[in-house]
Amino acid sequence: MDIESYSQEKTGVLVRAWGRVKALPDKLKTKVVSTCKSIKKLGQDDPRRITHSLKVGLALTLVSLLYYLRPLYDGFGVSGMWAVLTVVVVFEFTVGGTLSKSLNRGFATLLAGALGLGADYFASLFGKKGEPIVLGILVFLLGGAATFSRFFPRIKQRYDYGVLIFILTFSLVAVSGDRVDELVILAYQRLSTIIMGGATCMIISIFICPVWAGEDLHKAVASNLEKLASYLEGFGNVYFQSSEDDGSNVISPKDGKTLPKGYKSILNSKNSEDSLANFARWEPGHGRFRLRHPWKCYLKIGTLARQCAYQIEAINGCIRSDIQTSEEFKNKISEPCKRMSSECGKALKALSTSIKTMKDPSPANSHIENSKAAMKDLKFALKAASLEDSDDFLAIVPAATVASILVEIVNCVEKISEAVNELSLQAHFSKTVEPTVSPEKSQQQQQLLHRGIIQPVFEADDDENNGNVVITIHEISTDSPENQKKPTKE
């Protein structure tokens, strides 16, 4: 390589490097703008996140006074930092999450501290040489037993954090001091500061813009049913549309954008619902939710909603299928399938409204009965369809698959209705008062009351009427005697 080529290459490198340096302000500006937009969107999606951040900052400021104010510092010393640590660890987004962690931490610290003091006193009875051996055995036994208890599903779900704090606190207290007097003071200071930090979190979480886990679960389950309903109400007209339809409103069955895809979020909703239900059990009674609200019913409805969402995911794949479906066979089963899909959607929407308003879910019963009637019509349609005359047997498989899945969806919606009815009974949903008499019948009764009372009298005379029954109608009128009609025979 000659000197001229080398010089040109170096010059090109320097030019490119200078270009990158000059572009840095623009890239930095673009990055800052993008970050600001992300922060703004995050706050707009759920403004409660901003409120939660301010609540945590307030709690940290209050508990920091234990360390900064001289009188409080003289009473608690460096242990005041445990209150700050408690706020950072236990303050959760929802009231139930905060109460769960605060109570778990408080009771676990109290129990572990008491057992740790007892273990130290018990070990001291064996002298200086036997004390570490006894403490090691006790730490081994209690630590192993507490760790094994975390494998129980109920303890894992509700008390896992408390068990961890128990293991940590017991181990620290049991081996942290040589003299019991100093250990008691240390345990008292830490327990007091932890209680103060937890109490601060609970008070702020409950009384300042509370976020209730139970209310979030309630809304999430109702919203999931509405998402299923939105898909099912439009599915029939999309999949079973006739190829002979003319006009701009015709929708291609392969066009996946014609139907809402909100049901997809239901497929992965189990962990979120389980977490909300667990936190909701810790919350006190509030609003429309009493102390022992049946949160398990919401989990049951959520499980059935996911089963329905899996079925919808299956029929959504049939819309995008490349297999040519027999139009003749689709036309024969289209009417009952459309009704099944539409009525299931209406039933789910009625159930969703019932959960949202906490009213009796009986309006959904008529739609479920209609869907079951359509399912019976589908059976007759399948019997009437001549499958042997079809040129290609595989051409009817996609439509037949959709029909069978719709049957499963009808059964699933019926189970969801039963679960919602169970929830309404246990949660004491308000009953919808419906008129027992139609307006027409009520008007007729008023006219009868105005004119008089009709009293039918049955008379039987085999000799005169040849075995026929004679009905004599006596009309007791409120008019004057001269306007009263004579009894008539029919």
Side-chain angles (χ1 to χ4, degrees):
M1 179 183 295
D2 55 5
I3 297 177
E4 185 177 356
S5 299
Y6 179 77
S7 177
Q8 291 177 355
E9 184 179 353
K10 282 293 186 180
T11 302
V13 172
L14 292 174
V15 170
R16 288 192 295 271
W18 177 247
R20 294 192 188 98
V21 172
K22 290 180 65 177
L24 280 178
D26 294 334
K27 291 183 178 179
L28 181 60
K29 180 180 179 181
T30 304
K31 187 68 175 176
V32 171
V33 171
S34 176
T35 304
C36 292
K37 288 182 178 179
S38 300
I39 295 173
K40 182 179 179 181
K41 184 178 183 302
L42 192 64
Q44 288 178 342
D45 290 343
D46 193 350
R48 298 179 303 175
R49 295 168 180 168
I50 300 176
T51 306
H52 173 69
S53 303
L54 298 176
K55 287 159 62 177
V56 173
L58 176 61
L60 287 172
T61 302
L62 292 177
V63 297
S64 297
L65 298 178
L66 295 176
Y67 192 79
Y68 289 111
L69 294 181
R70 192 66 185 177
L72 296 177
Y73 180 80
D74 293 339
F76 296 100
V78 183
S79 297
M81 298 304 296
W82 283 91
V84 178
L85 178 62
T86 300
V87 171
V88 174
V89 172
V90 306
F91 209 131
E92 292 290 331
F93 184 69
T94 62
V95 174
T98 303
L99 292 177
S100 172
K101 279 197 168 182
S102 298
L103 295 177
N104 268 285
R105 186 178 180 86
F107 283 111
T109 301
L110 177 62
L111 180 60
L115 289 178
L117 292 176
D120 273 342
Y121 177 78
F122 179 73
S124 65
L125 299 179
F126 293 86
K128 291 294 183 181
K129 293 183 179 180
E131 183 176 359
I133 298 175
V134 174
L135 282 177
I137 293 174
L138 292 176
V139 169
F140 171 78
L141 292 177
L142 285 178
T147 302
F148 182 77
S149 68
R150 296 179 62 198
F151 292 102
F152 290 93
R154 181 177 176 82
I155 295 179
K156 180 71 175 178
Q157 183 182 20
R158 303 191 64 180
Y159 309 107
D160 186 64
Y161 180 71
V163 175
L164 285 176
I165 296 300
F166 173 84
I167 297 172
L168 175 63
T169 305
F170 176 78
S171 301
L172 291 176
V173 172
V175 300
S176 62
D178 295 331
R179 291 181 297 177
V180 177
D181 294 338
E182 295 182 359
L183 198 58
V184 170
I185 296 174
L186 179 63
Y188 166 75
Q189 290 178 344
R190 290 190 178 181
L191 179 61
S192 300
T193 52
I194 288 174
I195 291 176
M196 289 182 181
T200 302
C201 293
M202 290 189 292
I203 292 172
I204 292 177
S205 179
I206 293 175
F207 294 102
I208 300 180
C209 300
V211 178
W212 303 102
E215 187 175 352
D216 284 353
L217 176 63
H218 181 85
K219 293 179 179 178
V221 171
S223 177
N224 288 344
L225 295 185
E226 191 169 357
K227 291 175 183 177
L228 297 176
S230 299
Y231 185 95
L232 290 174
E233 283 186 326
F235 172 77
N237 293 328
V238 172
Y239 185 78
F240 291 99
Q241 63 179 343
S242 175
S243 60
E244 299 177 356
D245 289 342
D246 188 17
S248 58
N249 293 329
V250 177
I251 305 173
S252 173
K254 294 183 181 180
D255 186 3
K257 296 182 180 180
T258 56
L259 292 171
K261 295 297 187 296
Y263 73 90
K264 289 183 178 292
S265 62
I266 305 174
L267 302 175
N268 301 317
S269 62
K270 177 176 173 54
N271 292 334
S272 175
E273 291 177 358
D274 289 345
S275 177
L276 289 175
N278 180 38
F279 291 152
R281 295 188 183 100
W282 291 91
E283 294 177 346
H286 57 280
R288 299 177 297 175
F289 308 101
R290 51 195 177 87
L291 182 60
R292 299 184 62 84
H293 197 71
W295 302 114
K296 287 185 178 180
C297 294
Y298 289 93
L299 295 180
K300 184 178 180 180
I301 297 172
T303 301
L304 294 172
R306 279 189 295 276
Q307 294 178 7
C308 188
Y310 288 130
Q311 301 290 348
I312 290 178
E313 180 71 6
I315 61 175
N316 188 63
C318 296
I319 293 181
R320 296 176 174 271
S321 176
D322 293 330
I323 301 177
Q324 188 66 28
T325 307
S326 172
E327 291 294 333
E328 180 183 359
F329 181 74
K330 281 179 63 175
N331 292 334
K332 290 181 179 179
I333 66 171
S334 64
E335 186 59 31
C337 286
K338 284 182 179 180
R339 287 169 51 204
M340 289 165 61
S341 177
S342 176
E343 292 296 334
C344 285
K346 293 177 181 178
L348 288 172
K349 187 163 289 187
L351 294 174
S352 174
T353 303
S354 171
I355 295 176
K356 286 181 180 179
T357 58
M358 299 189 75
K359 293 184 178 179
D360 185 42
S362 57
N365 295 339
S366 59
H367 298 297
I368 294 176
E369 293 299 325
N370 292 338
S371 64
K372 292 168 70 174
M375 186 169 60
K376 294 179 180 179
D377 294 342
L378 175 63
K379 295 179 181 179
F380 292 117
L382 290 174
K383 291 179 180 179
S386 179
L387 303 182
E388 297 179 357
D389 298 337
S390 179
D391 297 333
D392 186 5
F393 182 77
L394 293 177
I396 68 172
V397 171
T401 302
V402 169
S404 64
I405 294 176
L406 286 175
V407 171
E408 293 297 326
I409 290 177
V410 171
N411 295 330
C412 189
V413 171
E414 186 177 6
K415 293 179 181 178
I416 293 175
S417 175
E418 294 174 357
V420 175
N421 276 281
E422 181 182 356
L423 171 64
S424 69
L425 291 175
Q426 296 188 20
H428 306 290
F429 283 7
S430 60
K431 298 290 184 180
T432 303
V433 180
E434 297 180 356
T436 56
V437 182
S438 62
E440 294 80 4
K441 292 183 179 179
S442 177
Q443 185 176 4
Q444 292 177 1
Q445 289 181 355
Q446 291 178 358
Q447 292 177 355
L448 290 176
L449 288 173
H450 176 71
R451 294 178 56 189
I453 302 175
I454 298 176
Q455 293 183 344
V457 178
F458 296 88
E459 299 178 359
D461 191 348
D462 294 339
D463 297 333
E464 298 180 0
N465 301 296
N466 298 323
N468 296 328
V469 178
V470 179
I471 302 177
T472 304
I473 300 177
H474 297 275
E475 180 178 344
I476 302 175
S477 176
T478 57
D479 297 335
S480 59
E482 57 271 14
N483 292 332
Q484 293 182 6
K485 296 182 179 180
K486 296 181 180 180
T488 59
K489 291 187 178 183
E490 294 183 359

